[in-house]
Amino acid sequence: MGRRTGRGAAVWRAVVRSAVVAAVLCVPSALLPGRVAMAAPDVPSYAFADDVRSAPATTGTTGAARLEPGVTYRSSLQGEDKAYYRLELDGTSDVYVSVTAIPRAGATLSAGDGISVSVQDADSVTCSSDSVTVGAAGSPQPLTAWGARELLPGKGLCQKAGTYYVVVERTGSGSGSGSGTGTGTGSGEEDTDLSDGRTWDLELAPVSEAPLVKAAATRVPEVWDSSTPAPPVDEPVSVRGGAGFAEATAVKQGVWSDEIVPGQTLFYKVPVDWGQQLSATVDLGSAGKNSGYVVDALEMTLHNPVRASVKDTGIGYGGSQKSASLPPVPPVGYANRYAPTDPTKSLRFAGSYYLVVHLAAQVADRFGEGPYGLTLRVRLGGSVQTGPGYARQSVPRGFFDVGAPDPVPSGGGGSAGADASGDGASGGDPAMKAVAVGGIGTGSVLLMVLGVWTLTARRRAAAQMRVNAQNPTA
């Protein structure tokens, strides 16, 4: 009996150890609590959408991959070649295509390096064009430009159903120096020799906006509150910014604290309804030393729901704390699309607006690798208004609606605006939810295994006691 008890205890300890190890291994290391809140020492790579599809680029219209609204695609841009993609459009919907190019971390870039995006019809008529560059700092970062086929009263071009093409190309010093191999693979392989020595990955996100049930006013409001509002001063709530549009961290009105390392770009999204007016301020904390000055050290850009740039702001950095605010922008309204210029023209949709913050890689050379404290102050002014009345759902469905609010971490500050949760904060962290679910599931298995073992051990012990009672000399 003693030997059985000793062997049983050893087996029990082995079972417990195995179950605990299994419980830990069942939870991916990336989801463990310590890994979620920590700032990565290296610059994280751009986070593409989980359901991203491949769309190989072609150097001409023949054989161009078709882009479907509502689907996110991954491709690449190589050398001096243009990259072509195809759209098959009806004659009633507006279609927007954003293109985000991702230069590799550590690349050597000039101020004018960037991308241009245009939408053309089958007769080579340009419907729209947009371009973006890395700016004076030359710091590698995601660059987003967009194109559109809009159906506007009185506009005679690009108004019919048919085949259209999205054309993407490099601009600046690297645009004519590559060897270009013909078609992109979407894999980001190092197969060209540009000024940065790399192929640029691309993320393409086409969206279709439905027509209205009845025509709306085309007159843009001439009067709006253009004063600079006071930024919120609530107690900051800790969040972790996303590494791409698809993983942008949702925030609402309030004050949010984060950390950023040189070369990193953080993405946040704010639900903005019709009639609301967004303002934002970003504060960069002081460094441990004062060693020179970096021009355009910190940049913050506001993008609308289709990822078109609305407005941006930037600051130089000399090691002491700095703050930058977006210039005032008008309230969101459907009629803004008829404005002659941005930013009003871009504030045409309700939905998720993005705040994209980048800290130049050169900051590390002057002031160290960080991380650096970051504070984001978000305010929503204006009053919510009724939407324009779409005739059908846009693609993706509900894209231009604010939608139901998500849970918000306590203490986020502010009462206006739709609620939203921030990754890394209590109550809304998907990683912690996954850990909890995994823990519950693994714990249930552990309890079941231990329960079965205990029951078996007790039955064996009872049986042995009966044997010993019947055979005292055994």
Side-chain angles (χ1 to χ4, degrees):
M1 184 69 178
R3 288 192 300 271
R4 288 180 182 271
T5 302
R7 185 162 55 247
V11 172
W12 177 274
R13 289 192 295 270
V15 170
V16 172
R17 284 196 299 268
S18 299
V20 171
V21 171
V24 174
L25 293 178
C26 284
V27 182
S29 61
L31 297 182
L32 293 177
R35 295 286 298 276
V36 174
M38 292 175 62
D42 298 321
V43 179
S45 59
Y46 182 83
F48 287 86
D50 290 337
D51 56 352
V52 68
R53 298 183 189 177
S54 176
T58 58
T59 56
T61 57
T62 303
R66 179 175 178 176
L67 305 181
E68 295 282 358
V71 179
T72 304
Y73 297 89
R74 182 170 182 172
S75 189
S76 61
L77 183 61
Q78 305 184 52
E80 60 186 350
D81 296 326
K82 297 180 180 179
Y84 286 83
Y85 309 89
R86 176 169 55 93
L87 298 167
E88 298 294 342
L89 306 182
D90 61 30
T92 62
S93 303
D94 290 340
V95 174
Y96 310 92
V97 182
S98 71
V99 180
T100 299
I102 303 98
R104 298 299 180 88
T108 301
L109 302 176
S110 300
D113 286 335
I115 62 166
S116 70
V117 176
S118 63
V119 173
Q120 302 175 1
D121 69 8
D123 201 31
S124 300
V125 173
T126 298
C127 309
S128 72
S129 63
D130 184 36
S131 61
V132 61
T133 65
V134 294
S139 178
Q141 59 188 286
L143 302 170
T144 302
W146 69 303
R149 194 291 301 266
E150 302 173 86
L151 302 175
L152 299 174
K155 184 176 180 180
L157 302 177
C158 304
Q159 302 294 288
K160 298 179 180 179
T163 301
Y164 291 79
Y165 296 96
V166 179
V167 186
V168 185
E169 60 183 315
R170 287 277 298 270
T171 62
S173 60
S175 61
S177 60
S179 57
T181 58
T183 59
T185 63
S187 62
E189 297 177 355
E190 302 175 19
D191 49 7
T192 59
D193 184 20
L194 303 180
S195 63
D196 60 4
R198 309 279 186 171
T199 295
W200 286 10
D201 283 344
L202 300 178
E203 183 177 61
L204 300 96
V207 175
S208 175
E209 184 186 24
L212 302 183
V213 173
K214 59 180 181 180
T218 59
R219 184 179 179 86
V220 181
E222 297 179 356
V223 179
W224 53 276
D225 185 3
S226 59
S227 61
T228 301
V233 292
D234 306 279
E235 190 66 20
V237 174
S238 177
V239 294
R240 291 297 294 129
F245 284 104
E247 291 191 358
T249 298
V251 295
K252 65 166 188 174
Q253 173 168 295
V255 182
W256 310 92
S257 65
D258 204 343
E259 290 183 333
I260 190 169
V261 296
Q264 187 176 21
T265 303
L266 298 176
F267 292 75
Y268 309 87
K269 61 181 178 181
V270 185
V272 183
D273 216 332
W274 301 103
Q276 290 190 310
Q277 190 174 10
L278 175 66
S279 61
T281 297
V282 61
D283 301 337
L284 181 63
S286 58
K289 61 180 180 178
N290 189 333
S291 179
Y293 191 80
V294 177
V295 179
D296 284 351
L298 185 74
E299 298 177 355
M300 179 170 66
T301 305
L302 174 64
H303 295 260
N304 69 14
V306 301
R307 307 182 183 179
S309 175
V310 178
K311 205 73 176 178
D312 59 32
T313 184
I315 52 174
Y317 188 63
S320 59
Q321 66 272 17
K322 296 290 289 184
S323 180
S325 299
L326 287 172
V329 296
V332 171
Y334 187 87
N336 287 342
R337 67 192 59 218
Y338 303 113
T341 60
D342 286 326
T344 303
K345 190 177 180 68
S346 298
L347 294 160
R348 62 177 72 186
F349 319 105
S352 292
Y353 280 72
Y354 299 90
L355 293 168
V356 181
V357 180
H358 176 75
L359 182 63
Q362 292 85 341
V363 170
D365 298 332
R366 293 286 187 180
F367 308 103
E369 296 181 356
Y372 294 79
L374 195 72
T375 303
L376 187 65
R377 305 176 189 273
V378 179
R379 181 179 292 280
L380 286 170
S383 57
V384 176
Q385 300 175 358
T386 303
Y390 289 113
R392 59 177 182 269
Q393 284 289 338
S394 298
V395 182
R397 184 181 180 88
F399 190 81
F400 300 112
D401 297 328
V402 169
D406 296 325
V408 179
S410 60
S415 58
D419 290 348
S421 64
D423 286 350
S426 60
D429 191 342
M432 292 307 299
K433 292 179 181 178
V435 171
V437 173
I440 292 172
T442 306
S444 300
V445 173
L446 174 59
L447 290 174
M448 182 174 65
V449 171
L450 295 179
V452 171
W453 191 94
T454 301
L455 180 60
T456 302
R458 286 177 178 176
R459 287 179 176 177
R460 288 178 177 175
Q464 183 62 38
M465 290 177 64
R466 288 195 296 271
V467 171
N468 292 341
Q470 296 172 1
N471 302 280
T473 60

